[in-house]
Amino acid sequence: MELGLKGKVAIVTGTGRKGALGEAIALELAREGADIACVDIVIEGAEAIAKEVRDMGVRSMALKVDQGEQQQVKDAVAKINAELGPVSILVNNAALMGPFGRIERMELNDWQRMVHINLDGAYYWIREVWNTMVEKNWGRIINISSIAGVMGGFGQVNYSASKAGVIALAKTAALEGARKGITANAVTLGVVATGQPVESGEAAERLKARIAQRRFGEPADVAAMVAFLASDRAGYITGQDIHVMGGMDLFTY
């Protein structure tokens, strides 16, 4: 299915690790013809994925960005606009995954850093691409969230709050962009197989038992949804929190 992304410029954050979501999303968008800015704080990983993208016959560049630093985000978007062209698609995928902690034990620094990177960082990216999308009367914003953001996460107060925040951020961007050709949605995930310790052993079996399909998601499952939401075919879908989690949020026994 042709999604009409040829020539569009996309930013995909969190593209620093092979086998993870950022790589899958970047490659899926590239297959549809989009030019990709691969962004991560780990520049070596971003450069490797940018090379994969270029090998597919589209343009790509890699940028080292700490998205908790607003000026770095601002500078990165200016460089992308200059080298690849105006940004049409933003995928806010980058996020911290720890350290975690229960409410009464959470170190204040751990709370502030998680919210700063996961939520403030997503806002910084949206803020910097917004005016260009308005000028083009076309934009796609996709925030990657987590089941912890809709159901809470025991011992994950900082992560849960930050991931709930990116859902609300997408909904607000949808409202403000609705008459400007901009759609914004959240894609909320359960457990996706990216080589994390939780994916094996007893903990994995307990998690799978909570999923209606009795399996973890694959990065490709997420990338397919992101590519669709980035396309013209999803032009009437905005402000939604779309769950890609195999029924992990359904009652099952």
Side-chain angles (χ1 to χ4, degrees):
M1 179 171 66
E2 290 289 333
L3 295 180
L5 299 184
K6 186 174 179 59
K8 303 286 189 188
V9 175
I11 295 174
V12 183
T13 69
T15 50
R17 187 163 68 88
K18 295 278 290 179
L21 283 176
E23 179 189 33
I25 292 168
L27 295 181
E28 185 67 20
L29 293 175
R31 287 186 195 98
E32 295 294 336
D35 299 319
I36 312 295
C38 297
V39 177
D40 202 277
I41 198 166
V42 180
I43 188 59
E44 295 81 6
E47 286 174 340
I49 293 169
K51 183 180 183 305
E52 285 187 76
V53 171
R54 288 193 295 272
D55 289 345
M56 297 171 69
V58 297
R59 297 180 302 157
S60 186
M61 61 189 295
L63 300 98
K64 180 177 181 177
V65 181
D66 177 350
Q67 70 178 30
E69 298 295 328
Q70 184 181 9
Q71 189 61 48
Q72 289 191 32
V73 173
K74 187 180 183 74
D75 292 344
V77 172
K79 188 172 183 180
I80 294 163
N81 286 338
E83 295 192 19
L84 295 181
V87 175
S88 297
I89 300 163
L90 169 65
V91 184
N92 272 317
N93 170 63
L96 285 180
M97 287 291 293
F100 300 130
R102 293 167 65 171
I103 290 170
E104 76 277 14
R105 299 175 185 171
M106 172 66 61
E107 293 288 340
L108 186 58
N109 286 342
D110 292 338
W111 165 271
Q112 292 173 333
R113 177 161 172 73
M114 181 81 74
V115 172
H116 185 50
I117 297 297
N118 294 3
L119 183 53
D120 292 352
Y123 167 69
Y124 295 157
W125 286 110
I126 292 173
R127 180 185 174 97
E128 293 307 320
V129 302
W130 189 262
N131 287 341
T132 297
M133 290 181 177
V134 170
E135 288 168 7
K136 291 170 64 68
N137 197 41
W138 200 97
R140 297 290 185 266
I141 296 166
I142 299 122
N143 289 350
I144 304 299
S145 187
S146 163
I147 191 170
V150 294
M151 297 182 70
F154 188 92
Q156 297 182 330
V157 62
N158 51 352
Y159 184 71
S160 299
S162 69
K163 285 302 188 178
V166 299
I167 295 172
L169 179 58
K171 288 178 178 290
T172 300
L175 281 168
E176 296 186 9
R179 298 181 186 181
K180 300 176 174 68
I182 300 169
T183 69
N185 295 283
V187 175
T188 295
L189 312 180
V191 180
V192 179
T194 58
Q196 300 299 317
V198 73
E199 296 164 26
S200 61
E202 184 180 344
E205 295 310 308
R206 288 202 307 271
L207 283 170
K208 285 180 184 177
R210 293 192 56 185
I211 303 171
Q213 291 190 356
R214 295 298 196 269
R215 71 174 180 90
F216 295 148
E218 297 291 337
D221 297 324
V222 182
M225 176 57 71
V226 170
F228 174 68
L229 290 174
S231 74
D232 278 328
R233 291 175 180 263
Y236 202 56
I237 301 172
T238 195
Q240 300 306 299
D241 174 22
I242 300 170
H243 291 194
V244 180
M245 56 182 71
M248 193 175 187
D249 53 345
L250 302 175
F251 176 74
T252 185
Y253 60 91

